[in-house]
PDB file of all heavy atoms in Angstrom:
ATOM      1  N   TYR A  41      -9.603  17.383  -6.438  1.00 79.00           N
ATOM      2  CA  TYR A  41     -10.470  16.768  -7.464  1.00 79.00           C
ATOM      3  C   TYR A  41     -11.686  17.635  -7.369  1.00 79.00           C
ATOM      4  O   TYR A  41     -12.433  17.632  -6.357  1.00 79.00           O
ATOM      5  CB  TYR A  41     -10.728  15.345  -6.989  1.00 79.00           C
ATOM      6  CG  TYR A  41     -11.624  14.459  -7.812  1.00 79.00           C
ATOM      7  CD1 TYR A  41     -12.007  14.787  -9.161  1.00 79.00           C
ATOM      8  CD2 TYR A  41     -12.172  13.284  -7.264  1.00 79.00           C
ATOM      9  CE1 TYR A  41     -12.863  14.000  -9.833  1.00 79.00           C
ATOM     10  CE2 TYR A  41     -12.994  12.466  -7.976  1.00 79.00           C
ATOM     11  CZ  TYR A  41     -13.350  12.820  -9.270  1.00 79.00           C
ATOM     12  OH  TYR A  41     -14.199  12.001  -9.973  1.00 79.00           O
ATOM     13  N   TYR A  42     -11.960  18.469  -8.400  1.00 85.00           N
ATOM     14  CA  TYR A  42     -13.094  19.385  -8.347  1.00 85.00           C
ATOM     15  C   TYR A  42     -14.116  18.975  -9.322  1.00 85.00           C
ATOM     16  O   TYR A  42     -13.843  18.199 -10.308  1.00 85.00           O
ATOM     17  CB  TYR A  42     -12.613  20.794  -8.816  1.00 85.00           C
ATOM     18  CG  TYR A  42     -11.667  21.481  -7.832  1.00 85.00           C
ATOM     19  CD1 TYR A  42     -10.309  21.684  -8.188  1.00 85.00           C
ATOM     20  CD2 TYR A  42     -12.075  22.050  -6.651  1.00 85.00           C
ATOM     21  CE1 TYR A  42      -9.432  22.324  -7.348  1.00 85.00           C
ATOM     22  CE2 TYR A  42     -11.189  22.687  -5.744  1.00 85.00           C
ATOM     23  CZ  TYR A  42      -9.928  22.833  -6.173  1.00 85.00           C
ATOM     24  OH  TYR A  42      -9.025  23.488  -5.296  1.00 85.00           O
ATOM     25  N   ALA A  43     -15.312  19.547  -9.250  1.00 89.00           N
ATOM     26  CA  ALA A  43     -16.332  19.370 -10.236  1.00 89.00           C
ATOM     27  C   ALA A  43     -17.128  20.633 -10.332  1.00 89.00           C
ATOM     28  O   ALA A  43     -17.164  21.502  -9.390  1.00 89.00           O
ATOM     29  CB  ALA A  43     -17.290  18.261  -9.842  1.00 89.00           C
ATOM     30  N   ILE A  44     -17.744  20.943 -11.466  1.00 90.00           N
ATOM     31  CA  ILE A  44     -18.520  22.121 -11.702  1.00 90.00           C
ATOM     32  C   ILE A  44     -19.895  21.717 -11.868  1.00 90.00           C
ATOM     33  O   ILE A  44     -20.276  20.773 -12.692  1.00 90.00           O
ATOM     34  CB  ILE A  44     -18.019  22.896 -12.990  1.00 90.00           C
ATOM     35  CG1 ILE A  44     -16.552  23.302 -12.803  1.00 90.00           C
ATOM     36  CG2 ILE A  44     -18.926  24.040 -13.315  1.00 90.00           C
ATOM     37  CD1 ILE A  44     -15.867  23.812 -14.042  1.00 90.00           C
ATOM     38  N   PRO A  45     -20.880  22.303 -11.139  1.00 91.00           N
ATOM     39  CA  PRO A  45     -22.318  21.918 -11.297  1.00 91.00           C
ATOM     40  C   PRO A  45     -22.899  22.199 -12.606  1.00 91.00           C
ATOM     41  O   PRO A  45     -22.421  23.142 -13.333  1.00 91.00           O
ATOM     42  CB  PRO A  45     -22.995  22.781 -10.181  1.00 91.00           C
ATOM     43  CG  PRO A  45     -21.949  23.385  -9.397  1.00 91.00           C
ATOM     44  CD  PRO A  45     -20.703  23.345 -10.172  1.00 91.00           C
ATOM     45  N   PHE A  46     -23.850  21.404 -12.983  1.00 93.00           N
ATOM     46  CA  PHE A  46     -24.675  21.678 -14.256  1.00 93.00           C
ATOM     47  C   PHE A  46     -25.460  22.981 -14.129  1.00 93.00           C
ATOM     48  O   PHE A  46     -26.216  23.085 -13.191  1.00 93.00           O
ATOM     49  CB  PHE A  46     -25.535  20.535 -14.575  1.00 93.00           C
ATOM     50  CG  PHE A  46     -24.845  19.397 -15.309  1.00 93.00           C
ATOM     51  CD1 PHE A  46     -24.038  18.504 -14.693  1.00 93.00           C
ATOM     52  CD2 PHE A  46     -25.101  19.241 -16.697  1.00 93.00           C
ATOM     53  CE1 PHE A  46     -23.428  17.498 -15.421  1.00 93.00           C
ATOM     54  CE2 PHE A  46     -24.550  18.195 -17.349  1.00 93.00           C
ATOM     55  CZ  PHE A  46     -23.653  17.339 -16.781  1.00 93.00           C
ATOM     56  N   LYS A  47     -25.368  23.923 -15.091  1.00 92.00           N
ATOM     57  CA  LYS A  47     -26.255  25.081 -15.118  1.00 92.00           C
ATOM     58  C   LYS A  47     -27.348  24.862 -16.123  1.00 92.00           C
ATOM     59  O   LYS A  47     -28.388  25.447 -16.047  1.00 92.00           O
ATOM     60  CB  LYS A  47     -25.435  26.316 -15.495  1.00 92.00           C
ATOM     61  CG  LYS A  47     -24.605  26.854 -14.315  1.00 92.00           C
ATOM     62  CD  LYS A  47     -24.016  28.132 -14.702  1.00 92.00           C
ATOM     63  CE  LYS A  47     -23.209  28.711 -13.513  1.00 92.00           C
ATOM     64  NZ  LYS A  47     -22.336  29.752 -13.916  1.00 92.00           N
ATOM     65  N   LEU A  48     -27.099  23.990 -17.114  1.00 95.00           N
ATOM     66  CA  LEU A  48     -28.183  23.799 -18.183  1.00 95.00           C
ATOM     67  C   LEU A  48     -28.850  22.435 -17.911  1.00 95.00           C
ATOM     68  O   LEU A  48     -28.259  21.410 -17.671  1.00 95.00           O
ATOM     69  CB  LEU A  48     -27.494  23.639 -19.560  1.00 95.00           C
ATOM     70  CG  LEU A  48     -26.764  24.899 -20.080  1.00 95.00           C
ATOM     71  CD1 LEU A  48     -26.399  24.619 -21.546  1.00 95.00           C
ATOM     72  CD2 LEU A  48     -27.699  26.124 -20.066  1.00 95.00           C
ATOM     73  N   THR A  49     -30.223  22.441 -17.965  1.00 96.00           N
ATOM     74  CA  THR A  49     -31.001  21.234 -17.897  1.00 96.00           C
ATOM     75  C   THR A  49     -30.893  20.535 -19.301  1.00 96.00           C
ATOM     76  O   THR A  49     -30.401  21.172 -20.259  1.00 96.00           O
ATOM     77  CB  THR A  49     -32.403  21.495 -17.626  1.00 96.00           C
ATOM     78  OG1 THR A  49     -32.960  22.289 -18.668  1.00 96.00           O
ATOM     79  CG2 THR A  49     -32.602  22.320 -16.280  1.00 96.00           C
ATOM     80  N   GLU A  50     -31.439  19.394 -19.470  1.00 97.00           N
ATOM     81  CA  GLU A  50     -31.458  18.687 -20.682  1.00 97.00           C
ATOM     82  C   GLU A  50     -32.261  19.474 -21.707  1.00 97.00           C
ATOM     83  O   GLU A  50     -31.836  19.654 -22.879  1.00 97.00           O
ATOM     84  CB  GLU A  50     -32.079  17.330 -20.540  1.00 97.00           C
ATOM     85  CG  GLU A  50     -32.181  16.508 -21.788  1.00 97.00           C
ATOM     86  CD  GLU A  50     -32.656  15.067 -21.652  1.00 97.00           C
ATOM     87  OE1 GLU A  50     -32.513  14.501 -20.467  1.00 97.00           O
ATOM     88  OE2 GLU A  50     -33.170  14.532 -22.592  1.00 97.00           O
ATOM     89  N   GLN A  51     -33.372  20.069 -21.287  1.00 97.00           N
ATOM     90  CA  GLN A  51     -34.190  20.869 -22.152  1.00 97.00           C
ATOM     91  C   GLN A  51     -33.397  22.102 -22.665  1.00 97.00           C
ATOM     92  O   GLN A  51     -33.478  22.478 -23.804  1.00 97.00           O
ATOM     93  CB  GLN A  51     -35.435  21.330 -21.488  1.00 97.00           C
ATOM     94  CG  GLN A  51     -36.477  21.978 -22.273  1.00 97.00           C
ATOM     95  CD  GLN A  51     -37.821  22.303 -21.540  1.00 97.00           C
ATOM     96  OE1 GLN A  51     -37.954  21.842 -20.394  1.00 97.00           O
ATOM     97  NE2 GLN A  51     -38.687  23.053 -22.167  1.00 97.00           N
ATOM     98  N   ASP A  52     -32.663  22.753 -21.722  1.00 97.00           N
ATOM     99  CA  ASP A  52     -31.844  23.930 -22.094  1.00 97.00           C
ATOM    100  C   ASP A  52     -30.861  23.497 -23.107  1.00 97.00           C
ATOM    101  O   ASP A  52     -30.553  24.260 -24.041  1.00 97.00           O
ATOM    102  CB  ASP A  52     -31.091  24.483 -20.871  1.00 97.00           C
ATOM    103  CG  ASP A  52     -32.034  25.048 -19.822  1.00 97.00           C
ATOM    104  OD1 ASP A  52     -33.148  25.454 -20.161  1.00 97.00           O
ATOM    105  OD2 ASP A  52     -31.616  25.053 -18.658  1.00 97.00           O
ATOM    106  N   ALA A  53     -30.160  22.331 -22.979  1.00 97.00           N
ATOM    107  CA  ALA A  53     -29.116  21.884 -23.856  1.00 97.00           C
ATOM    108  C   ALA A  53     -29.678  21.618 -25.233  1.00 97.00           C
ATOM    109  O   ALA A  53     -29.066  22.011 -26.216  1.00 97.00           O
ATOM    110  CB  ALA A  53     -28.463  20.615 -23.271  1.00 97.00           C
ATOM    111  N   VAL A  54     -30.817  21.033 -25.311  1.00 97.00           N
ATOM    112  CA  VAL A  54     -31.431  20.790 -26.626  1.00 97.00           C
ATOM    113  C   VAL A  54     -31.785  22.112 -27.312  1.00 97.00           C
ATOM    114  O   VAL A  54     -31.609  22.238 -28.497  1.00 97.00           O
ATOM    115  CB  VAL A  54     -32.624  19.797 -26.527  1.00 97.00           C
ATOM    116  CG1 VAL A  54     -33.367  19.693 -27.872  1.00 97.00           C
ATOM    117  CG2 VAL A  54     -32.149  18.423 -26.062  1.00 97.00           C
ATOM    118  N   GLY A  55     -32.315  23.037 -26.531  1.00 97.00           N
ATOM    119  CA  GLY A  55     -32.615  24.401 -27.049  1.00 97.00           C
ATOM    120  C   GLY A  55     -31.368  25.090 -27.526  1.00 97.00           C
ATOM    121  O   GLY A  55     -31.389  25.706 -28.598  1.00 97.00           O
ATOM    122  N   THR A  56     -30.298  24.963 -26.806  1.00 97.00           N
ATOM    123  CA  THR A  56     -28.987  25.536 -27.185  1.00 97.00           C
ATOM    124  C   THR A  56     -28.547  24.913 -28.531  1.00 97.00           C
ATOM    125  O   THR A  56     -28.042  25.621 -29.438  1.00 97.00           O
ATOM    126  CB  THR A  56     -27.951  25.395 -26.096  1.00 97.00           C
ATOM    127  OG1 THR A  56     -28.355  25.945 -24.908  1.00 97.00           O
ATOM    128  CG2 THR A  56     -26.589  25.923 -26.511  1.00 97.00           C
ATOM    129  N   PHE A  57     -28.664  23.588 -28.676  1.00 97.00           N
ATOM    130  CA  PHE A  57     -28.309  22.890 -29.884  1.00 97.00           C
ATOM    131  C   PHE A  57     -29.172  23.427 -31.055  1.00 97.00           C
ATOM    132  O   PHE A  57     -28.664  23.712 -32.174  1.00 97.00           O
ATOM    133  CB  PHE A  57     -28.500  21.384 -29.703  1.00 97.00           C
ATOM    134  CG  PHE A  57     -28.618  20.617 -31.021  1.00 97.00           C
ATOM    135  CD1 PHE A  57     -27.570  20.563 -31.834  1.00 97.00           C
ATOM    136  CD2 PHE A  57     -29.836  20.084 -31.377  1.00 97.00           C
ATOM    137  CE1 PHE A  57     -27.698  19.877 -33.086  1.00 97.00           C
ATOM    138  CE2 PHE A  57     -29.934  19.418 -32.564  1.00 97.00           C
ATOM    139  CZ  PHE A  57     -28.898  19.303 -33.403  1.00 97.00           C
ATOM    140  N   ARG A  58     -30.499  23.570 -30.861  1.00 97.00           N
ATOM    141  CA  ARG A  58     -31.321  24.031 -31.927  1.00 97.00           C
ATOM    142  C   ARG A  58     -30.987  25.432 -32.357  1.00 97.00           C
ATOM    143  O   ARG A  58     -30.933  25.726 -33.601  1.00 97.00           O
ATOM    144  CB  ARG A  58     -32.805  23.964 -31.516  1.00 97.00           C
ATOM    145  CG  ARG A  58     -33.363  22.631 -31.202  1.00 97.00           C
ATOM    146  CD  ARG A  58     -33.850  21.933 -32.368  1.00 97.00           C
ATOM    147  NE  ARG A  58     -34.382  20.617 -32.035  1.00 97.00           N
ATOM    148  CZ  ARG A  58     -34.406  19.557 -32.868  1.00 97.00           C
ATOM    149  NH1 ARG A  58     -33.993  19.696 -34.097  1.00 97.00           N
ATOM    150  NH2 ARG A  58     -34.868  18.438 -32.536  1.00 97.00           N
ATOM    151  N   ARG A  59     -30.654  26.311 -31.401  1.00 97.00           N
ATOM    152  CA  ARG A  59     -30.194  27.719 -31.798  1.00 97.00           C
ATOM    153  C   ARG A  59     -28.939  27.622 -32.624  1.00 97.00           C
ATOM    154  O   ARG A  59     -28.755  28.318 -33.629  1.00 97.00           O
ATOM    155  CB  ARG A  59     -30.064  28.595 -30.562  1.00 97.00           C
ATOM    156  CG  ARG A  59     -31.401  28.970 -30.030  1.00 97.00           C
ATOM    157  CD  ARG A  59     -31.225  30.042 -28.880  1.00 97.00           C
ATOM    158  NE  ARG A  59     -30.631  29.492 -27.723  1.00 97.00           N
ATOM    159  CZ  ARG A  59     -31.173  28.748 -26.791  1.00 97.00           C
ATOM    160  NH1 ARG A  59     -32.465  28.431 -26.891  1.00 97.00           N
ATOM    161  NH2 ARG A  59     -30.580  28.373 -25.723  1.00 97.00           N
ATOM    162  N   TRP A  60     -27.932  26.781 -32.155  1.00 96.00           N
ATOM    163  CA  TRP A  60     -26.678  26.639 -32.825  1.00 96.00           C
ATOM    164  C   TRP A  60     -26.990  26.083 -34.252  1.00 96.00           C
ATOM    165  O   TRP A  60     -26.292  26.565 -35.272  1.00 96.00           O
ATOM    166  CB  TRP A  60     -25.809  25.678 -32.033  1.00 96.00           C
ATOM    167  CG  TRP A  60     -24.568  25.228 -32.769  1.00 96.00           C
ATOM    168  CD1 TRP A  60     -23.346  25.841 -32.762  1.00 96.00           C
ATOM    169  CD2 TRP A  60     -24.395  23.944 -33.448  1.00 96.00           C
ATOM    170  NE1 TRP A  60     -22.464  25.124 -33.471  1.00 96.00           N
ATOM    171  CE2 TRP A  60     -23.098  23.947 -33.965  1.00 96.00           C
ATOM    172  CE3 TRP A  60     -25.272  22.901 -33.805  1.00 96.00           C
ATOM    173  CZ2 TRP A  60     -22.610  22.895 -34.736  1.00 96.00           C
ATOM    174  CZ3 TRP A  60     -24.773  21.873 -34.582  1.00 96.00           C
ATOM    175  CH2 TRP A  60     -23.446  21.886 -35.021  1.00 96.00           C
ATOM    176  N   ALA A  61     -27.876  25.110 -34.376  1.00 96.00           N
ATOM    177  CA  ALA A  61     -28.143  24.477 -35.688  1.00 96.00           C
ATOM    178  C   ALA A  61     -28.802  25.468 -36.607  1.00 96.00           C
ATOM    179  O   ALA A  61     -28.784  25.311 -37.865  1.00 96.00           O
ATOM    180  CB  ALA A  61     -29.046  23.261 -35.507  1.00 96.00           C
ATOM    181  N   GLY A  62     -29.397  26.559 -36.116  1.00 95.00           N
ATOM    182  CA  GLY A  62     -29.978  27.573 -36.984  1.00 95.00           C
ATOM    183  C   GLY A  62     -29.030  28.637 -37.523  1.00 95.00           C
ATOM    184  O   GLY A  62     -29.408  29.594 -38.227  1.00 95.00           O
ATOM    185  N   GLY A  63     -27.696  28.459 -37.255  1.00 93.00           N
ATOM    186  CA  GLY A  63     -26.690  29.392 -37.635  1.00 93.00           C
ATOM    187  C   GLY A  63     -26.519  29.485 -39.140  1.00 93.00           C
ATOM    188  O   GLY A  63     -26.887  28.466 -39.908  1.00 93.00           O
ATOM    189  N   SER A  64     -25.913  30.500 -39.640  1.00 91.00           N
ATOM    190  CA  SER A  64     -25.834  30.794 -41.061  1.00 91.00           C
ATOM    191  C   SER A  64     -24.958  29.761 -41.872  1.00 91.00           C
ATOM    192  O   SER A  64     -25.052  29.603 -43.041  1.00 91.00           O
ATOM    193  CB  SER A  64     -25.322  32.199 -41.363  1.00 91.00           C
ATOM    194  OG  SER A  64     -24.013  32.328 -40.770  1.00 91.00           O
TER     195      SER A  64
END
Side-chain angles (χ1 to χ4, degrees):
Y41 179 18
Y42 294 109
I44 298 170
F46 274 74
K47 283 189 178 164
L48 297 184
T49 65
E50 181 173 335
Q51 188 177 351
D52 295 336
V54 172
T56 300
F57 159 67
R58 295 275 180 207
R59 283 189 294 282
W60 169 85
S64 60

